[in-house]
């Protein structure tokens, strides 16, 4: 093996810019729609085979337990513009973390008539 797996929790990836002020276009035609939890879940379900394959790259020989949360910034086009991971360092860092962030960036959500939104999707690792 390549030594001990990282321990503890880690957040890796992009800054989702959650503190940023949203500009509402009071005169424009842009809507205020956002994705529903069901739409986010359906899109993630389609990506689960790719996401599961990433776990094969986790550091160390021990199974990883805990909660992994994907944070994503999603454009109105349904495209993911930023991704971060929060959870056990064995899966959020290194090759596994890179693979998971790439898989999440590849998810295509339904388009919506509204500003970019931030979504979180937790999964339990058992």
């Amino acid at each position: 093996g390549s030594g001990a797996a990282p321990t503890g929790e880690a957040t890796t990836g992009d800054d989702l810019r959650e503190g940023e002020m949203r500009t509402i276009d009071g005169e424009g035609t842009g809507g205020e729609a956002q994705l529903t939890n069901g739409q986010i879940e359906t899109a993630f379900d389609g990506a689960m085979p790719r996401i599961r394959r990433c776990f094969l790259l986790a550091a160390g020989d021990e199974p990883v337990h805990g909660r992994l949360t994907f944070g994503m910034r999603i454009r109105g086009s349904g495209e993911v513009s930023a991704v971060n991971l929060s959870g056990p360092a064995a899966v959020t860092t290194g090759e596994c973390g890179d693979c998971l962030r790439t898989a999440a960036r590849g998810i295509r959500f339904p388009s919506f008539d509204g500003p970019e939104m931030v979504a979180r999707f937790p999964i339990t690792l058992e």
Side-chain angles (χ1 to χ4, degrees), residues 67-71 84-87 120-123:
R67 180 193 283 271
L68 169 65
T69 302
F70 288 82
N84 71 26
L85 302 172
S86 185
R120 298 208 178 289
F121 191 83
I123 58 176

Side-chain angles (χ1 to χ4, degrees), residues 9-14 84-87 92-93 101:
E9 299 284 308
T11 298
T12 61
D14 302 320
N84 71 26
L85 302 172
S86 185
T92 59
T93 61
R101 284 188 298 278

Side-chain angles (χ1 to χ4, degrees), residues 33-40 43 74-76 78 109-112 117 119:
Q34 301 279 264
L35 294 171
T36 66
N37 287 341
Q39 289 171 310
I40 293 167
I74 305 167
R75 294 186 174 118
F109 293 91
S111 58
F112 56 96
M117 64 178 284

